[in-house]
Amino acid sequence: MQQPFDEIKQYSKTVCEQIRWKKAHNIIAEEIENHLCDQRDAYISQGEDEKSATQKAILQMGDAVSIGMELDKIHKPKPQWAMITLTAMLMLIGMLSNYFIDSSEYSLARFSLAPYIIALTVFLICYLLDFSILGKYAKHCYFITLVISFIGLLFSNPINGGAWFLVGRSSVSLSYLSLIFPLAYSLLIYALRHRRYKGIILCGIGYIPFAIILLLVPSFTGFALFTISALVVLCMSIVKGWFGIDKKRGLLLVFIPAFIAVIAAIIYIIQSPHSLNRLSAAVSPYSDRNGSGYIYCLVRDLLANSKFVGKGTAPAQFGSNVPIIPASGTDYILTALTYNFGWIAFIGISVVIIAFSIFGLYYVTKQKSVLGTIVSSSIMLTFVLQAVIYIISNLGYGILSALSLPLISYGKAALIINSALIGFMLSVFRTGDILKDSIKSPIKVNPIFSYEDGKLIINFKGN
Amino acid sequence: MSIDKSLLAGSTTTLILKLLEEKDMYGYQMIETLAQKSDDTFNLKAGTLYPILHNLENNGAVESYEEEADNGRIRKYYHLTSKGKKLLQEKHQEWITYSSAVNRILNGGGKLCSNHLMK
């Protein structure tokens, strides 16, 4: 004979069988089963026995198949085709620009499709992956990132004033860690959000090791990118009330130390000749044209001689022998493209990036769950900050050096990391609707004695 | 007296929104409250309620969160958003227009009735 609770299970299973999107099954089944149990208990308290109470409750709910079909119309994943198209466009632009830059300046042999195939695979994996695992293992993600970065730093080699990690014949700049840190840090915020003021203080402590690693690399751009996005996500979490504390006090708890840190940073910059030098070079590069102002002057001269369409004219001082910008594929791809193909290339790429940013930020605000909002906003910030820093630097006004132009500039590690991040973000946009937040933390301690479905359960293990 | 299902169908969304205007509720609670408030006139089927609720949530009129009840059961509470409040106002207005028109005709096309309502 079928047990009453089995009947409830069977009913919710029939409802779910009509719903094609499997991810929605658990949440719908839970709601329906709880409803039936509530209704059954109400009938029992009116004097019905359990079996007939269950049957009446099921009858009250209605036909399982037609409910399932109704719910199937409502619950569907929402692939954001506009954003997928924009991602594909960015990747394609990156591929073409790197191909043409290489072919005109070096040799075709340097161009390889392999990183793009890897990046596309990584993107698809992250896109199809259930991003809620990030929430399940939020703290693990933070600590694993921390340990790997620390090991990477220990075994890194200093090249061109920055730390690089050598893998076989390729090398990865550790400054790219700053692309992963915002996401890892936002997961820490997610994990600590129930812990009120203590949670904010712990988030403050959690910020320090990542910041120190980036200052040791050293990557000031990475440090700025991580700090700004960490600050924004933390403040957003406080303002949205996820820490469950007074918003003004919470913000003060963040802003006071942040303000002190900014003052300390300014004092450090004023006292460090290297930083001052860089600052003065960015502000008035022509005063030290052949020294620290060299790149700034070159970038501005090339842009001043760029046409709207077509290759720019040679700046007068160089004659026909126009110098190549050092590392143009990595750090100055926009400048190089603008000079070689005209401002139209610059405008075209900027439009795609701006469209991606606007769509992305719009979908971030549409997220309903805490995890969805935290993950997508930290990734979106990483994208926007990278792009803004890169564009300013490519216009010849960058106080911060360029890190990467997402999916476009040359750099295998940055390409793959950005593909993974965007994959995760689009996965949030596609399936984030179904994710729900529990107000109470899901930690549950089972009692030794419990009563369920008419059975007395004695739990010897205590868990 | 139980009423014709099709009559209830048109106004269910409005009634649900109105219930949520007072406080956040979970599905079973809504059905119970609705039955109580209407002296069992509105016996809403749960199978009708959830598709409507999920649809309202998709459109941003309500949002949901889970909370654990004393008996350990997880309950999904629904909360009316500002968009939902606007929708309720529209639906309420629509209902006033509709019901006064029905009343006018049922009462024998009395212009007096509608004038009375206008005042």
Side-chain angles (χ1 to χ4, degrees):
Chain A
M1 198 186 82
Q2 208 172 28
Q3 292 295 313
F5 192 68
D6 287 343
E7 277 183 61
I8 291 180
K9 282 263 175 208
Q10 183 58 46
Y11 182 91
S12 73
K13 199 179 154 207
T14 314
V15 172
C16 287
E17 275 167 2
Q18 319 307 315
I19 304 165
R20 281 167 291 177
W21 191 25
K22 289 211 171 66
K23 237 183 155 184
H25 284 190
N26 279 343
I27 206 149
I28 290 172
E30 187 179 75
E31 192 174 28
I32 284 178
E33 284 166 20
N34 281 329
H35 183 108
L36 287 172
C37 289
D38 278 336
Q39 184 74 68
R40 177 199 63 191
D41 294 350
Y43 285 132
I44 289 176
S45 70
Q46 285 167 19
E48 302 269 353
D49 65 86
E50 195 184 352
K51 193 171 177 351
S52 69
T54 308
Q55 281 167 354
K56 273 180 91 170
I58 286 175
L59 204 67
Q60 202 284 336
M61 191 164 257
D63 177 40
V65 174
S66 56
I67 298 168
M69 281 163 71
E70 279 299 312
L71 291 172
D72 177 58
K73 281 185 220 158
I74 300 164
H75 295 285
K76 282 174 188 159
K78 295 183 185 127
Q80 308 298 345
W81 291 112
M83 291 213 72
I84 294 174
T85 313
L86 287 168
T87 310
M89 281 168 80
L90 286 174
M91 229 182 238
L92 201 69
I93 292 171
M95 218 151 70
L96 290 174
S97 348
N98 282 303
Y99 178 83
F100 281 114
I101 278 199
D102 278 1
S103 64
S104 61
E105 291 172 5
Y106 306 101
S107 65
L108 278 175
R110 248 195 72 188
F111 180 79
S112 160
L113 262 183
Y116 291 95
I117 295 169
I118 297 172
L120 192 66
T121 318
V122 168
F123 169 81
L124 283 176
I125 291 172
C126 294
Y127 178 65
L128 296 172
L129 208 70
D130 179 2
F131 79 93
S132 61
I133 55 165
L134 291 179
K136 229 178 263 171
Y137 300 104
K139 272 188 201 163
H140 301 78
C141 289
Y142 173 84
F143 284 111
I144 289 169
T145 311
L146 188 61
V147 169
I148 291 177
S149 312
F150 191 69
I151 293 171
L153 197 64
L154 272 185
F155 292 94
S156 65
N157 299 19
I159 302 173
N160 293 337
W164 289 69
F165 189 74
L166 305 177
V167 194
R169 280 166 59 200
S170 0
S171 50
V172 179
S173 166
L174 288 184
S175 60
Y176 292 141
L177 283 174
S178 59
L179 303 181
I180 308 171
F181 285 176
L183 176 61
Y185 184 70
S186 70
L187 290 173
L188 181 74
I189 297 178
Y190 175 77
L192 294 171
R193 74 192 192 286
H194 287 304
R195 302 177 69 170
R196 301 172 66 83
Y197 290 105
K198 201 177 158 196
I200 296 183
I201 294 168
L202 288 174
C203 283
I205 296 170
Y207 160 81
I208 297 168
F210 280 172
I212 290 176
I213 288 175
L214 291 172
L215 288 174
L216 284 177
V217 168
S219 166
F220 293 106
T221 309
F223 173 75
L225 190 150
F226 167 61
T227 304
I228 295 171
S229 50
L231 203 60
V232 172
V233 175
L234 188 57
C235 291
M236 178 189 77
S237 308
I238 294 170
V239 170
K240 290 213 170 212
W242 295 334
F243 280 97
I245 51 165
D246 181 66
K247 288 168 193 172
K248 274 186 195 155
R249 279 190 204 163
L251 287 177
L252 277 180
L253 195 58
V254 176
F255 282 140
I256 292 173
F259 186 71
I260 295 170
V262 168
I263 300 285
I266 291 173
I267 294 171
Y268 171 79
I269 290 170
I270 293 172
Q271 288 183 341
S272 141
H274 173 77
S275 316
L276 262 189
N277 203 8
R278 187 170 175 92
L279 206 64
S280 71
V283 177
S284 55
Y286 290 98
S287 59
D288 188 12
R289 198 185 176 105
N290 292 317
S292 55
Y294 176 75
I295 291 268
Y296 291 103
C297 294
L298 181 58
V299 167
R300 291 186 199 181
D301 288 345
L302 288 178
L303 291 179
N305 287 283
S306 296
K307 287 181 179 168
F308 185 68
V309 182
K311 195 173 169 69
T313 51
Q317 67 272 31
F318 298 125
S320 60
N321 202 6
V322 182
I324 296 161
I325 314 173
S328 61
T330 314
D331 293 341
Y332 292 98
I333 201 163
L334 268 183
T335 316
L337 287 173
T338 309
Y339 182 69
N340 285 326
F341 302 102
W343 281 99
I344 187 116
F346 181 91
I347 294 168
I349 292 173
S350 302
V351 165
V352 177
I353 288 173
I354 291 168
F356 187 94
S357 308
I358 291 173
F359 271 108
L361 290 170
Y362 171 76
Y363 289 123
V364 167
T365 61
K366 289 278 151 201
Q367 289 310 303
K368 290 174 189 164
S369 66
V370 175
L371 184 63
T373 314
I374 273 188
V375 167
S376 60
S377 59
S378 71
I379 295 176
M380 207 54 226
L381 278 165
T382 311
F383 180 91
V384 172
L385 288 170
Q386 266 183 95
V388 168
I389 293 169
Y390 197 96
I391 291 173
I392 293 175
S393 126
N394 274 239
L395 288 172
Y397 293 89
I399 293 171
L400 292 168
S401 57
L403 194 62
S404 147
L405 186 61
L407 305 184
I408 295 179
S409 65
Y410 179 79
K412 295 181 197 98
L415 173 70
I416 292 165
I417 294 172
N418 274 314
S419 303
L421 291 176
I422 293 172
F424 270 129
M425 184 172 76
L426 295 192
S427 158
V428 171
F429 295 161
R430 187 173 72 103
T431 62
D433 269 5
I434 204 71
L435 198 74
K436 288 289 165 289
D437 301 307
S438 301
I439 278 209
K440 284 182 186 172
S441 54
I443 304 161
K444 229 169 43 177
V445 181
N446 284 346
I448 298 175
F449 297 102
S450 58
Y451 182 77
E452 197 178 285
D453 301 330
K455 292 174 206 151
L456 181 68
I457 297 164
I458 304 172
N459 186 349
F460 291 107
K461 278 184 177 172
N463 57 20
Chain B
M1 181 182 126
S2 70
I3 53 165
D4 184 6
K5 271 183 203 163
S6 62
L7 208 53
L8 181 58
S11 51
T12 316
T13 307
T14 319
L15 294 173
I16 291 170
L17 289 171
K18 185 69 195 169
L19 283 183
L20 291 176
E21 194 190 28
E22 284 171 28
K23 62 172 184 180
D24 296 357
M25 286 188 188
Y26 55 95
Y28 176 73
Q29 195 183 5
M30 285 180 216
I31 291 183
E32 283 295 290
T33 315
L34 206 56
Q36 260 173 26
K37 285 197 173 185
S38 67
D39 287 333
D40 284 331
T41 309
F42 299 139
N43 182 11
L44 183 63
K45 285 228 173 206
T48 320
L49 174 73
Y50 286 109
I52 292 176
L53 275 177
H54 291 191
N55 219 351
L56 285 172
E57 193 179 11
N58 254 4
N59 299 333
V62 301
E63 51 193 21
S64 68
Y65 58 90
E66 286 182 344
E67 218 169 57
E68 197 179 324
D70 295 337
N71 59 7
R73 231 166 254 165
I74 302 288
R75 286 195 166 131
K76 198 172 156 194
Y77 279 85
Y78 290 86
H79 169 81
L80 194 66
T81 62
S82 51
K83 199 176 168 189
K85 282 178 190 155
K86 257 185 219 157
L87 182 66
L88 174 61
Q89 273 177 4
E90 284 167 25
K91 287 265 175 195
H92 197 166
Q93 196 53 49
E94 188 185 82
W95 177 254
I96 290 173
T97 316
Y98 172 77
S99 61
S100 65
V102 172
N103 282 336
R104 214 179 314 155
I105 290 167
L106 288 180
N107 292 338
K111 269 193 175 173
L112 197 71
C113 181
S114 80
N115 283 342
H116 179 70
L117 271 175
M118 293 295 278
K119 280 173 194 168

